Amino acid sequence: MRIVYVVVLVTAIAAVAIDHLSSPASDGTGTREDAAAARTHE
Amino acid sequence: MSGMLAIDSATTSVPAPARDWPFLALATGATGVFVALVLLDGQPRSALLILCGFALGAAFLKAEFGFTAAWRRFLAGRDSGGLVGTLLLIALSAVVIVPVAALVPGYGGAGAPLGASLLVGAFVFGIGMQLGNGCGSGTLYTVGGGSGRMLVTHAFFIVGGVIGSLQLPFFLALGGFDPPLASDLLGAWGGLAATLASIALVAGVVIALARRKGVNFVPSVTMTIGAVVIAALAIATFLTAHHPWSVTFGFTLWGAKIAAALGYDFSAHEFWQWPGPQHALSTSVLRDTTSLTDFGMILGAMAAAAAARPFARAAWPPARSLLAAAIGGLLMGWGARLGFGCNIGAFVSGVASGSLHGWVWFAAALGGCAVGMRLRPWFGLSRV
């Protein structure tokens, strides 16, 4: 189980870092869960 | 003499709790990497959200604060201690969330429409809670705590969330209406009074049910301390993010990002064309406020677990239990999207915002839990 954890964690950390570094620079706005209700709320 | 020897022998044979340095280093190191990335991006608030999540993960783990078993104990024998602890957390959070959301520009509460989507989503989520053995926050902190079973639940939670996101527009089209927040009707302080009164009313009902059956209705000291600490951190998260704490949109976003990386095109799906989800999918996951606290929670729980004992040493559970974890995760993910969140995003944050949808979510999810409890023995899980 420890090996599974290490593989999952290292993969996830790398994926997050790659996603972050390859994304456009921040426009200063965050996103939020109840954006799921965007149709009715935003 | 022999008795003393026996005591000495017993004392020396108990090993001291051992820190798991590799996992402690991994958890704190990953947290440091994420904090550094958002700081380099000029987002100090995002760094604070990661740290809030980190503290939440540690607090949940240490207090063993959970919804799933507490709701099961209430449904099975009317033991209300866990439910009362949850209501304490909500009431403390509401004291800040209701007035700040109403009075301070830039802040908002958690609201969602009442309709078939909410009812179906929350009910299915409740079934999933009992099969998956956790809710949104429970999944995060137990995954962080080293549970292999919850890794399975979490993976399928993510898949279910993506499927739910594709179907949410259909369920919303079935109809519903947006209830006003209590503060919209009664003003900031009147709304707070109404919110606290509603919490007191529900607490009174569950306590009365417990007393009638002669069972416990007082939360444990650990749970009470946990509720106070978690409420303080939920408030800190709200003040930093400018919206109440939520969990499950992050899971859905991670799944969509993975699917998009594998070549799936979300442009034909209405949900992912709405401003919020579209923005989240097109920018860094570290700019999604929900993901920031989620990452922090997993890593905080992992750090707390690894600081206290060897990490993830337990054997994998039986296959039937893993099947329940997969089904439960799938149902929770799907239900969370249709029901506008989980125990945190919909119930805790909804009620603490003075939104009626939080109570409707609670009632529907409790009904789902009752069904899920009946299904648990099929998978070799205890009914209570």
Side-chain angles (χ1 to χ4, degrees), chain B residues 17 29 54 99 116 159 281 326 335 348 372 378:
Chain B
F54 190 93
V159 174
L281 190 57
V348 172
W378 294 8

Side-chain angles (χ1 to χ4, degrees), chain B residues 66-104:
Chain B
F67 298 86
T68 307
W71 291 22
R72 206 159 56 233
R73 285 195 297 273
F74 173 73
L75 288 168
R78 297 292 179 265
D79 181 331
S80 305
L83 260 180
V84 172
T86 305
L87 294 171
L88 173 65
L89 157 65
I90 299 174
L92 292 173
S93 304
V95 169
V96 173
I97 292 175
V98 171
V100 171
L103 297 172
V104 182

Side-chain angles (χ1 to χ4, degrees), chain A residues 1-2 4-6 9 13 16-17 19-21 23-41, chain B residues 20 26 30 37 41 43 143 146-148 172 178 243 246-249 257 274 279 284-285 287-289 302 311-312 314 337 341:
Chain A
M1 190 183 293
R2 288 166 67 85
V4 173
Y5 258 93
V6 170
L9 262 174
I13 294 164
V16 169
D19 176 68
H20 184 74
L21 296 172
S23 295
S26 172
D27 61 3
T29 60
T31 59
R32 50 186 293 190
E33 170 159 25
D34 64 357
R39 191 177 66 96
T40 50
H41 290 277
Chain B
D20 196 322
L26 196 57
L37 284 172
D41 200 29
Q43 300 288 322
V143 162
S147 165
L172 281 174
D178 290 310
H243 65 85
S246 55
V247 170
T248 60
F249 178 71
K257 278 188 170 284
W274 293 341
H279 184 252
S284 165
V285 71
R287 287 179 204 124
D288 170 50
T289 54
M302 180 176 290
F311 184 82
R337 275 295 46 79

Side-chain angles (χ1 to χ4, degrees), chain B residues 225-255:
Chain B
I225 294 170
V228 172
V229 172
I230 292 166
L233 292 167
I235 290 167
T237 300
F238 166 70
L239 294 175
T240 309
H242 291 195
H243 65 85
W245 175 29
S246 55
V247 170
T248 60
F249 178 71
F251 300 174
T252 304
L253 177 62
W254 305 347

Side-chain angles (χ1 to χ4, degrees), chain B:
Chain B
M1 184 70 180
S2 60
M4 283 178 66
L5 282 174
I7 291 167
D8 287 343
S9 169
T11 306
T12 52
S13 67
V14 176
R19 283 199 170 88
D20 196 322
W21 287 107
F23 277 92
L24 185 56
L26 196 57
T28 51
T31 306
V33 168
F34 290 166
V35 167
L37 284 172
V38 296
L39 286 177
L40 287 170
D41 200 29
Q43 300 288 322
R45 278 200 303 147
S46 297
L48 278 177
L49 286 173
I50 294 172
L51 297 176
C52 282
F54 190 93
L56 279 165
F60 264 88
L61 188 94
K62 288 295 181 189
E64 295 184 358
F65 196 95
F67 298 86
T68 307
W71 291 22
R72 206 159 56 233
R73 285 195 297 273
F74 173 73
L75 288 168
R78 297 292 179 265
D79 181 331
S80 305
L83 260 180
V84 172
T86 305
L87 294 171
L88 173 65
L89 157 65
I90 299 174
L92 292 173
S93 304
V95 169
V96 173
I97 292 175
V98 171
V100 171
L103 297 172
V104 182
Y107 284 87
L114 303 182
S117 187
L118 178 66
L119 288 171
V120 172
F123 184 80
V124 170
F125 188 94
I127 299 173
M129 272 173 72
Q130 297 305 332
L131 295 181
N133 238 6
C135 53
S137 55
T139 300
L140 281 176
Y141 91 81
T142 49
V143 162
S147 165
R149 185 183 192 279
M150 297 310 286
L151 267 181
V152 175
T153 300
H154 197 190
F156 282 87
F157 204 136
I158 290 169
V159 174
V162 176
I163 297 170
S165 75
L166 307 184
Q167 297 174 344
L168 176 60
F170 167 80
F171 281 89
L172 281 174
L174 296 177
F177 70 99
D178 290 310
L181 298 178
S183 56
D184 294 336
L185 295 173
L186 304 167
W189 303 110
L192 174 60
T195 300
L196 294 177
S198 72
I199 296 168
L201 178 66
V202 173
V205 170
V206 298
I207 288 171
L209 289 170
R211 289 182 66 141
R212 200 161 72 179
K213 202 153 185 186
V215 295
N216 173 58
F217 57 86
V218 180
S220 66
V221 173
T222 307
M223 185 166 202
T224 304
I225 294 170
V228 172
V229 172
I230 292 166
L233 292 167
I235 290 167
T237 300
F238 166 70
L239 294 175
T240 309
H242 291 195
H243 65 85
W245 175 29
S246 55
V247 170
T248 60
F249 178 71
F251 300 174
T252 304
L253 177 62
W254 305 347
K257 278 188 170 284
I258 292 167
L262 295 173
Y264 191 82
D265 181 10
F266 284 96
S267 63
H269 296 291
E270 184 182 339
F271 176 92
W272 294 103
Q273 302 313 307
W274 293 341
Q278 187 183 49
H279 184 252
L281 190 57
S282 63
T283 56
S284 165
V285 71
L286 291 179
R287 287 179 204 124
D288 170 50
T289 54
T290 307
S291 294
L292 294 168
T293 45
D294 287 354
F295 290 140
M297 271 194 81
I298 293 174
L299 296 170
M302 180 176 290
R309 61 178 184 272
F311 184 82
R313 290 283 192 191
W316 287 95
R320 272 203 305 171
S321 177
L322 291 178
L323 178 62
I327 295 171
L330 206 57
L331 293 178
M332 278 195 286
W334 190 82
R337 275 295 46 79
L338 266 61
F340 307 100
C342 61
N343 302 59
I344 298 299
F347 178 41
V348 172
S349 292
V351 173
S353 299
S355 175
L356 186 59
H357 93 281
W359 288 123
V360 173
W361 190 97
F362 170 63
L366 205 60
C369 279
V371 174
M373 282 170 64
R374 292 181 178 276
L375 300 178
R376 283 171 59 90
W378 294 8
F379 300 94
L381 304 173
S382 66
R383 184 156 179 235
V384 180

